């Protein structure tokens, strides 16, 4: 009857019943004695004094039993379930139970270490092969996505994340792609598979695919069926746009304009300096205007990663000096670019010009980068440049000219005069796109093909998040938010993190806590943009936070501003901790992580990502203990949370229009 109650509550009820029994017996004895004596008032007074004494004694004994027996037993049980070694002071009055619990926890820890070491020794080769495969798949130029029979994503690489925003493990592919063409391709595969069933050892069916992202970008590639009807894999690349005749014409005009400058040196007879300067100035302005009007396609080379400035400088030869913006990353193949630039530098030297200076900088906001080979002297005639580009600059590719390499990189090159009067060759290049979602090159969980999870906590897709704010009042604002995705009881590596401009000054006392200043958030997205992006990241997942009513309150309060409602289911690690250890111990994040053996680096404490990572680790370590207590499903967690409302309100009961609570 009492098995559903906590040990401490059951002990309290036992002592309460004992106190009631003692008081009842004293009252009955006093009543009988008073009827037989002539002085009942004296008897009643003595009985009352005895009752107060007995009650005080029972309360005192209950308190000692609660503090020295019931509470330590509850704490030791929580430690055993989570695999953490209890503090030596816990259970000091429990005779052999305390030392036995510590020895059991230590033995479990030693066995776990031995198991981990055994697995590591036997899995080294497999780990190396897995790492090599991940490296290959994450760096291929094409986007690779694997979906299960339900159309849920169970694998994607970094290229796919860039090409198809909205991808996420255990999410429907429809979030990233328009499914009309995909469904048609699936129908073709099913038809091909039915034919292949009649042929022995037939390879998996494959079909070509042209589809569109939800943003309308056109992708081309193939779809292949996986064996045993386990889903499909898509290999997609951006569709190559057809060459535009206007772009070719603009390039011709640009090169003609650039040729005006060197032609000045070929004119017969003196040219007034003012006229020469005017022609040179207008030609430079015309070349710059045409460059801005029709910049080269900035798609980059297929399969090209980010070429950093340091890598470019290390691979180019024949230049006198370099000046590079260190934080730039080019979307080109380093070998191709180095071969072309080194060949041009060598030809400049052979023509009697001084060794050029290599400069790499950004052309402007969202305009890509620009390489300049500049020297003090005459401008290179366009005809000479065209002749050089007709030659193969890379000895390893003797069949490809410099012009072929430029076309491969999707750019062009022309001569002009720098602002400092130096002659130069200008080579614009696309910048490598930064991945807005911090994620590893490869993201996968093949266990997602397991089917229905029946609501088990260990199978839920969750986003563990944390916020930093301008203060603790309901009217304060978010200045940073971060989250990590968990699927099938493990971190997937998918991350979200951004500073947020709160639209008001950050109080110095808050900056002392989280270290975020007004200058740091000056260029950050506002609350609406940041929370819309986070809503996209967390859509469909269970949200997990430490002291969730506080963080969820800020999300709900910004509903009007961000235009989305965070109606996700919520779990709170404060309540989960109370379900394992009871309400008598501290459930702060520092106390919880200390009990679980989780270390938060001091520099990451009170940062959104640092606290989110600690909360995620705590949640994963609490799962086995919760399951051992019969809390295996979300519904079990909700029912158990109702028993701890004196400690903290369940965030699932917080209405969206409510403000944040401390």
């Amino acid at each position: 009857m009492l098995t559903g109650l906590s040990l401490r509550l059951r002990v309290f009820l036992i002592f309460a019943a004992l106190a009631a029994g003692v008081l009842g017996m004293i009252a009955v004895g006093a009543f009988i004695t008073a009827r037989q004596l002539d002085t009942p008032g004296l008897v009643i007074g003595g009985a009352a004094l005895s009752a107060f004494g007995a009650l005080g004694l029972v309360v005192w004994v209950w308190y000692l039993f609660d503090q020295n027996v019931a509470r330590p037993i509850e704490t030791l049980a929580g430690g055993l379930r989570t695999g953490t070694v209890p503090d030596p002071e816990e259970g000091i009055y429990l005779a052999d139970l305390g030392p036995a619990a510590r020895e059991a926890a230590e033995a479990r820890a030693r066995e776990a270490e031995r198991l981990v070491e055994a697995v590591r020794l036997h899995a080294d080769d497999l780990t190396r092969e897995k790492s090599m495969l991940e490296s290959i798949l994450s760096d291929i130029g094409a986007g690779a996505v694997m979906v299960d029979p339900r159309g849920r994503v169970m694998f994607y690489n970094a290229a796919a994340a860039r090409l198809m925003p909205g991808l996420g493990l255990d999410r429907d592919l429809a979030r990233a792609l328009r499914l009309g063409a995909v469904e048609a391709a699936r129908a073709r595969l099913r038809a091909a598979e039915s034919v292949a069933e009649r042929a022995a050892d037939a390879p998996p069916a494959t079909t070509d695919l042209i589809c569109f992202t939800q943003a309308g970008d056109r992708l081309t590639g193939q779809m292949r069926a996986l064996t045993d009807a386990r889903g499909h894999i898509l290999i997609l690349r951006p569709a190559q746009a057809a060459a535009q005749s206007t772009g070719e014409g603009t390039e011709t005009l640009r090169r003609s304009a650039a040729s005006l400058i060197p032609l000045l040196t070929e004119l017969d007879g003196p040219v007034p300096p003012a006229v020469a300067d005017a022609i040179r100035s207008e030609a430079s302005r015309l070349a710059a205007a045409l460059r801005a009007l029709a910049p080269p396609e900035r798609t980059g080379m297929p399969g090209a990663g980010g070429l950093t400035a340091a890598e470019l400088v290390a691979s180019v030869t024949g230049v006198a000096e370099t000046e590079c913006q260190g934080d730039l990353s080019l979307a080109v193949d380093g070998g191709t670019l180095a071969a072309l630039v080194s060949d041009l530098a060598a030809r400049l030297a052979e023509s009697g010009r001084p060794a050029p200076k290599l400069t790499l900088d950004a052309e402007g906001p969202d305009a890509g980068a620009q390489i300049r080979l500049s020297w003090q002297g005459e401008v290179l005639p366009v005809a000479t440049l065209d002749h050089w580009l007709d030659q193969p600059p890379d000895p390893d590719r003797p069949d490809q000219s410099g012009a072929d390499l430029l076309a491969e990189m999707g750019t062009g090159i022309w001569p002009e005069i720098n602002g400092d009067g130096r002659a130069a060759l200008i080579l614009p290049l696309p910048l490598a796109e930064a991945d807005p979602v911090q994620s590893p090159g490869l993201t996968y969980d093949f266990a997602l093909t397991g089917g229905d999870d029946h609501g088990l906590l260990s199978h839920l897709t969750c986003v563990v998040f944390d916020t930093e704010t301008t203060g603790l009042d309901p009217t304060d604002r978010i200045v940073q938010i971060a989250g990590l995705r968990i699927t099938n009881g493990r971190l997937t590596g998918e991350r979200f993190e951004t500073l947020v401009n709160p639209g008001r000054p950050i109080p110095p006392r808050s900056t002392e806590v989280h270290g975020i200043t007004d200058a740091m958030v000056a260029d950050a997205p506002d609350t609406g943009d940041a929370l819309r992006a986070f809503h996209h990241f967390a859509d469909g997942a269970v949200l997990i936070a430490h002291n969730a009513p506080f963080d969820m309150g800020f999300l709900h309060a910004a509903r009007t501003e961000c235009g989305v409602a965070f109606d996700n289911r919520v779990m709170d690690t404060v309540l989960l901790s109370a379900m394992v250890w009871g309400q008598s111990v501290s459930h702060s994040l520092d106390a919880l992580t200390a009990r679980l053996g989780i270390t938060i680096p001091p520099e990451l404490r009170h940062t959104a990502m640092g606290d989110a990572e600690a909360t995620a680790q705590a949640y994963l370590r609490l799962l086995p203990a919760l399951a051992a207590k019969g809390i295996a499903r979300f519904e079990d967690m909700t029912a158990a949370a109702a028993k701890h409302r004196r400690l903290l309100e369940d965030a699932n009961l917080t209405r969206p229009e409510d403000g944040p609570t401390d």
Side-chain angles (χ1 to χ4, degrees), residues 87-316:
D87 190 287
E89 296 300 318
E90 291 290 347
I92 193 172
Y93 297 109
L94 296 179
D96 289 338
L97 180 58
R102 285 193 298 276
E103 291 169 5
E106 290 170 352
R108 176 179 174 181
R110 288 193 298 269
E111 289 302 319
E113 290 176 359
R114 293 193 189 99
L115 178 61
V116 169
E117 180 64 15
V119 171
R120 186 190 65 80
L121 292 175
H122 288 84
D124 281 348
D125 290 341
L126 180 62
T127 300
R128 283 193 295 269
E129 293 175 3
K130 174 176 172 288
S131 298
M132 292 173 60
L133 177 62
E134 289 182 353
S135 177
I136 293 170
L137 290 176
S138 64
D139 291 336
I140 63 174
V145 183
M146 189 180 296
V147 295
D148 65 12
R150 300 172 298 162
R152 311 288 289 187
V153 175
M154 57 182 181
F155 167 100
Y156 64 92
N157 63 356
R162 289 191 295 269
L163 291 175
M164 294 166 272
L167 282 178
L169 288 184
D170 202 29
R171 283 184 170 182
D172 198 305
L173 185 64
R175 292 179 57 87
L177 291 179
R178 299 175 185 176
L179 292 186
V182 175
E183 293 296 341
R186 284 175 178 163
R188 293 196 299 272
L189 287 179
R190 286 193 294 268
E193 288 170 352
S194 64
V195 174
E197 288 177 356
R198 296 191 291 268
D201 300 326
T206 302
T207 185
D208 291 335
L209 175 65
I210 299 176
C211 59
F212 292 86
T213 68
Q214 290 295 350
D217 297 324
R218 187 168 178 262
L219 304 176
T220 63
Q222 290 184 328
M223 176 186 285
R224 174 175 295 176
L226 298 177
T227 57
D228 301 326
R230 293 174 60 88
H232 305 84
I233 185 167
L234 294 82
I235 305 295
L236 299 171
R237 294 180 175 84
Q240 297 294 325
Q244 300 293 324
S245 59
T246 55
E248 296 175 357
T250 304
E251 175 66 16
T252 301
L253 288 174
R254 181 169 57 195
R255 297 176 69 85
S256 298
S259 68
L260 290 176
I261 301 173
L263 284 176
L264 288 174
T265 60
E266 305 297 329
L267 292 176
D268 294 332
V271 177
V275 175
D277 290 342
I279 295 175
R280 183 179 293 108
S281 175
E282 289 302 316
S284 296
R285 288 177 58 190
L286 178 58
L290 287 169
R291 183 167 71 248
L293 178 63
E297 290 294 329
R298 303 198 180 277
T299 56
M301 299 179 63
L307 176 69
T308 65
E311 292 169 340
L312 174 64
V313 170
S315 56
V316 170

Side-chain angles (χ1 to χ4, degrees), residues 16-26:
L18 176 62
V22 171
L23 293 178
M25 287 187 290
I26 291 175

Side-chain angles (χ1 to χ4, degrees), residues 290-433:
L290 287 169
R291 183 167 71 248
L293 178 63
E297 290 294 329
R298 303 198 180 277
T299 56
M301 299 179 63
L307 176 69
T308 65
E311 292 169 340
L312 174 64
V313 170
S315 56
V316 170
T317 60
V319 296
E321 58 178 314
T322 60
E323 180 180 331
C324 297
Q325 189 171 328
D327 58 350
L328 292 181
S329 182
L330 306 176
V332 295
D333 176 71
T336 302
L337 179 61
L340 178 61
V341 174
S342 299
D343 181 73
L344 291 174
R347 293 183 185 276
L348 287 170
E350 292 172 0
S351 67
R353 294 172 175 81
K357 173 184 178 181
L358 172 65
T359 305
L360 170 65
D361 55 22
E363 291 186 79
D366 303 322
Q370 186 182 83
I371 287 180
R372 293 196 303 275
L373 289 176
S374 61
W375 63 92
Q376 196 68 45
E378 298 179 353
V379 178
L380 184 70
V382 172
T384 303
L385 175 61
D386 286 339
H387 175 69
W388 290 356
L389 293 177
D390 286 338
Q391 312 304 314
D394 188 351
D396 291 336
R397 295 197 281 181
D399 58 334
Q400 290 183 287
S401 66
D404 294 332
L405 299 187
L406 286 173
E408 184 178 318
M409 291 186 289
T411 187
I413 189 171
W414 62 88
E416 65 179 47
I417 294 291
N418 278 344
D420 58 3
R422 292 167 59 90
L425 293 177
I426 308 300
L427 175 61
L429 291 166
L431 290 173
E433 295 183 4

Side-chain angles (χ1 to χ4, degrees), residues 373-524:
L373 289 176
S374 61
W375 63 92
Q376 196 68 45
E378 298 179 353
V379 178
L380 184 70
V382 172
T384 303
L385 175 61
D386 286 339
H387 175 69
W388 290 356
L389 293 177
D390 286 338
Q391 312 304 314
D394 188 351
D396 291 336
R397 295 197 281 181
D399 58 334
Q400 290 183 287
S401 66
D404 294 332
L405 299 187
L406 286 173
E408 184 178 318
M409 291 186 289
T411 187
I413 189 171
W414 62 88
E416 65 179 47
I417 294 291
N418 278 344
D420 58 3
R422 292 167 59 90
L425 293 177
I426 308 300
L427 175 61
L429 291 166
L431 290 173
E433 295 183 4
D435 190 354
V437 177
Q438 298 86 0
S439 63
L442 207 64
T443 309
Y444 60 91
D445 187 351
F446 298 125
L448 291 175
T449 59
D452 189 9
D453 56 23
H454 303 290
L456 293 175
L457 296 181
S458 57
H459 290 176
L460 292 177
T461 295
C462 308
V463 168
V464 185
F465 80 104
D466 184 69
T467 62
E468 299 298 330
T469 63
T470 58
L472 302 178
D473 294 331
T475 56
D476 280 304
R477 308 274 289 179
I478 296 173
V479 298
Q480 188 181 40
I481 185 168
L484 305 99
R485 187 180 296 276
I486 290 176
T487 297
N488 271 351
R490 73 174 184 87
L491 288 164
T492 67
E494 298 164 289
R495 301 158 68 92
F496 177 95
E497 182 178 16
T498 183
L499 291 169
V500 183
N501 190 331
R504 65 175 67 169
I506 301 174
R509 65 180 182 276
S510 298
T511 298
E512 291 176 2
V513 175
H514 49 55
I516 299 173
T517 64
D518 292 329
M520 293 170 63
V521 300
D523 297 325

Side-chain angles (χ1 to χ4, degrees), residues 528-615:
D529 289 341
L531 292 189
R532 279 190 292 272
F534 180 67
H535 183 271
H536 184 75
F537 178 76
D539 190 22
V542 176
L543 291 177
I544 301 175
H546 194 79
N547 191 11
F550 177 80
D551 297 285
M552 291 303 301
F554 283 100
L555 300 188
H556 294 326
R559 178 178 182 177
T560 301
E561 188 172 353
C562 66
V564 292
F566 286 88
D567 53 2
N568 311 59
R569 294 182 293 173
V570 183
M571 285 192 283
D572 193 328
T573 47
V574 171
L575 292 175
L576 299 183
S577 175
M579 295 172 196
V580 174
W581 280 286
Q583 297 187 25
S584 61
V585 301
S586 173
H587 299 291
S588 68
L589 184 59
D590 289 321
L592 175 59
T593 53
R595 281 197 299 272
L596 293 172
I598 299 168
T599 301
I600 308 177
E603 67 275 10
L604 296 181
R605 183 67 173 102
H606 294 299
T607 66
M609 183 55 74
D611 288 356
E613 288 180 340
T615 303

